Amino acid sequence: MPLPAFINAYRDRRLLSIFLFGISSGFPFVMIGSVMSAWLSDEGLSRSSIGLFGIIFNVYAFNFLWSPLLDRIKPPALGQRRGWILAMQLAIITCCLVMSRLDVASELFTMALLGLLIAIFSSTQDIAIDAYRIDIIQDDEKDKLSAGSSLATAGWWTGYGGLGALPFVMADLPGWDWSTIYLVLAAIMAVISIFTLLAKEPDIDREFIARQAYKRYEDATGGQQGHSAIFAWLGVTLIEPFREFFQRSGVRLALSILLFIFLFKLGEAFLGRMSIVFYKEVGFTNTDIGYYSKLLNWWVTIVFSIIGGMMNIRYGIYRGLLIAGIAMASSNLMFAWIAEVGPNKTLFAATIIVDGFTSAWSTVAMVAFISLMCNRAFSASQYALMASLSVAGKNTLAAGSGWIVDTMNGNWSLFFILTALMVIPGLLFLRSLKHDIARAEKASA
């Protein structure tokens, strides 16, 4: 495929909507992550207390539990996908407005509750946004699937990294405080929500599959009135998306897919959980961390997200995932190199570039892979189920990363070598899925 064909895959108005929705998906992490932590720190809370606020991010690992509702309940306006997206955006804006009026010293519980609500609304928005991206791309548009995945990743990092830098710049200006900054965050989210009104709603006929499923569940109850209708609705809403995935894929393949998703980025998760601690212990300053790890990483991620999408189009999702897995192991070994050399800024920059490439490429490939495995009739439920497994790996097993470093007596080199080896099980599962991925791609070509 010639190079202009790569570029042509991105010349689509639908992809602009996907990029803008990516911004909306990444931006709430600023509200309940870095900005909230900075506000709490300035109020004098201990590190352990601030760390406990991170528990609210576990919501993202369990959003698949209510994801079927987004496939079955249609909001009164804007359609199945945009209606949910806009509703969640408005709920997030409301939480920011209420948070801006809090006195943290006396209303800490209320702040934690609002943070939890933002996490719930944000994770629900993510379900709808991921489903929108899958629904808006037709089954026979494999190239657009990879292009959309890359722009979704670039958009997320723009919302999280690009817009996320604004609050910290404003916080150092005269007359600004964190409560006022939350008003600005609400205003930015309001502007983002305007694009939801302008986006095109996907045209998906889910009712044909739903009617077939309803009939099956009604027959299972003997056709009794009243109870039959309730059981059928619950069955189609809560059971059918997962039953369809396992039946279509087969139990062996379905379990292999789920295990691969859980394991693939586990090493990256262990590294990410300890990266800031490592930077500080090895001798980098806060300025070094901010410039290289945040600002440089943002641009590197955006650039390689686009390139990763192009490579997926050219070489396929399997090769994209394979390259990403090898790159993950390589970038982790570069961190081990820093542990031996010390705070060398040139090596730090090179490592961040490789790590940014790894993060972008692996995310684009994984998003495209999960999207490929979904049935568009149940896109919200099935994508949320698979994506939540990746989050679960980060929020559960990776929580023991600090304990592992302590067990190794602070031997960072050995720790990063171990995280590189963690990539191997995921690559083995990927190898077993090679022909299944190729078959799915061929079916969508």
Side-chain angles (χ1 to χ4, degrees), residues 78-345:
L78 298 183
Q80 189 85 34
R81 300 310 182 204
R82 291 188 306 148
W84 275 102
I85 294 171
L86 182 63
M88 296 303 102
Q89 288 172 336
L90 295 177
I92 292 170
I93 292 169
T94 301
C95 287
C96 283
L97 293 175
V98 175
M99 197 174 290
S100 70
R101 302 177 64 87
L102 293 181
D103 176 13
V104 176
S106 60
E107 298 177 290
L108 191 60
F109 174 80
T110 304
M111 188 173 187
L113 178 61
L114 287 168
L116 176 62
L117 289 175
I118 290 177
I120 293 172
F121 297 141
S122 172
S123 64
T124 305
Q125 177 196 228
D126 286 354
I127 297 171
I129 287 174
D130 291 330
Y132 176 93
R133 185 185 63 256
I134 296 170
D135 291 355
I136 202 68
I137 304 298
Q138 300 300 315
D139 287 333
D140 59 349
E141 294 181 302
K142 180 177 71 72
D143 292 354
K144 292 287 175 34
L145 184 67
S146 291
S149 300
S150 68
L151 288 178
T153 304
W156 194 94
W157 276 95
T158 299
Y160 175 70
L163 294 180
L166 292 178
F168 291 92
V169 174
M170 296 168 61
D172 285 338
L173 297 175
W176 288 92
D177 56 30
W178 291 112
S179 59
T180 308
I181 287 173
Y182 266 91
L183 291 175
V184 176
L185 298 180
I188 293 174
M189 197 68 188
V191 173
I192 293 173
S193 68
I194 295 174
F195 296 109
T196 305
L197 300 173
L198 301 176
K200 177 185 177 182
E201 177 69 15
D203 183 18
I204 301 291
D205 182 14
R206 298 181 180 83
E207 292 307 312
F208 175 72
I209 295 178
R211 283 194 296 270
Q212 290 180 314
Y214 266 115
K215 181 69 166 59
R216 185 166 58 254
Y217 286 104
E218 284 180 341
D219 291 343
T221 62
Q224 299 177 1
Q225 297 297 321
H227 293 300
S228 178
I230 295 173
F231 178 80
W233 188 90
L234 290 173
V236 173
T237 302
L238 302 178
I239 301 174
E240 188 63 19
F242 308 114
R243 188 203 67 81
E244 191 279 337
F245 171 69
F246 277 89
Q247 182 185 57
R248 170 167 49 87
S249 304
V251 174
R252 183 198 65 80
L253 177 58
L255 291 176
S256 295
I257 291 171
L258 297 179
L259 280 170
F260 164 68
I261 293 170
F262 181 79
L263 293 171
F264 186 63
K265 301 185 75 172
L266 197 59
E268 183 184 69
F270 271 79
L271 184 149
R273 186 66 63 90
M274 284 288 103
S275 60
I276 299 298
V277 178
F278 168 68
Y279 297 151
K280 285 182 170 293
E281 287 193 13
V282 83
F284 290 110
T285 65
N286 287 327
T287 301
D288 294 333
I289 295 171
Y291 179 75
Y292 291 103
S293 179
K294 300 299 182 184
L295 195 59
L296 177 61
N297 196 36
W298 169 39
W299 283 105
V300 168
T301 302
I302 290 177
V303 170
F304 281 113
S305 293
I306 304 301
I307 296 175
M310 290 180 176
M311 291 300 100
N312 277 351
I313 293 171
R314 176 64 181 86
Y315 295 108
I317 293 173
Y318 171 78
R319 289 185 182 177
L321 287 167
L322 183 63
I323 292 171
I326 296 171
M328 273 193 284
S330 302
S331 66
N332 290 14
L333 292 176
M334 289 190 72
F335 279 92
W337 189 6
I338 292 178
E340 293 297 321
V341 173
N344 184 300
K345 293 184 180 180

